[in-house]
Amino acid sequence: MIKAVYTEKAPQAIGPYSQAIKAGDFLFLSGQIPVNPETNEVVENDIVVQTRQVMRNIQAILEKEGLTFENIVKTTIFVKDLSMFATVNEEYGKFLGDHRPARSTVEISRLPKDVLIEIEAIAYTGNR
């Protein structure tokens, strides 16, 4: 079974895609950018503030499905400047605690709405 997942606690899609798709025992989260869902605006142009907002957006989507960061098995982080990696790593880690999913990090020249970071994730929904 495949179903689209939507929550008002995360930004609305800005194109023809879903916030997440549940397929079998997995939840595939679309890349989340640092948009505050209450204002529908990009947050401050600061990598710490933007990383925190992205992680809160991911958390909202996970919670919609009764999941936590512990369910994440893989993330991909896209950053505009890899020199920000240590800061991103620190903020990302605060949300994950001791959980360590597989991850890739890629520097990219431009992201939607000219943000500094985007993160996509895959979560395992089985064994709940």
Side-chain angles (χ1 to χ4, degrees):
M1 182 171 116
I2 296 173
K3 77 167 192 168
V5 174
Y6 171 77
T7 178
E8 291 182 6
K9 294 181 179 180
Q12 296 179 19
I14 58 174
Y17 62 90
S18 298
Q19 289 173 331
I21 294 290
K22 184 164 190 294
D25 288 339
F26 291 93
L27 182 67
F28 297 87
L29 285 77
S30 293
Q32 294 299 303
I33 60 173
V35 170
N36 180 329
E38 294 176 11
T39 64
N40 205 32
E41 298 292 329
V42 173
V43 298
E44 182 181 337
N45 192 32
D46 174 271
I47 193 61
V48 171
V49 173
Q50 289 199 4
T51 303
R52 287 177 185 163
Q53 185 64 56
V54 167
M55 295 303 285
R56 283 193 290 269
N57 294 344
I58 289 171
Q59 185 174 27
I61 296 167
L62 291 170
E63 287 176 352
K64 174 69 176 180
E65 290 298 300
L67 304 173
T68 69
F69 286 110
E70 293 282 324
N71 294 94
I72 293 178
V73 294
K74 170 74 168 76
T75 61
T76 304
I77 300 175
F78 303 95
V79 292
K80 192 170 179 180
D81 183 350
L82 206 50
S83 71
M84 300 179 201
F85 180 74
T87 304
V88 168
N89 219 24
E90 183 177 335
E91 293 305 316
Y92 170 91
K94 288 177 183 176
F95 283 84
L96 294 174
D98 292 333
H99 183 57
R100 298 290 180 256
R103 180 180 81 185
S104 302
T105 304
V106 179
E107 181 179 70
I108 191 160
S109 64
R110 192 164 183 207
L111 290 163
K113 297 188 177 256
D114 291 318
V115 299
L116 302 175
I117 186 168
E118 178 176 2
I119 301 176
E120 64 181 21
I122 301 169
Y124 180 66
T125 65
N127 298 333
R128 294 191 286 155

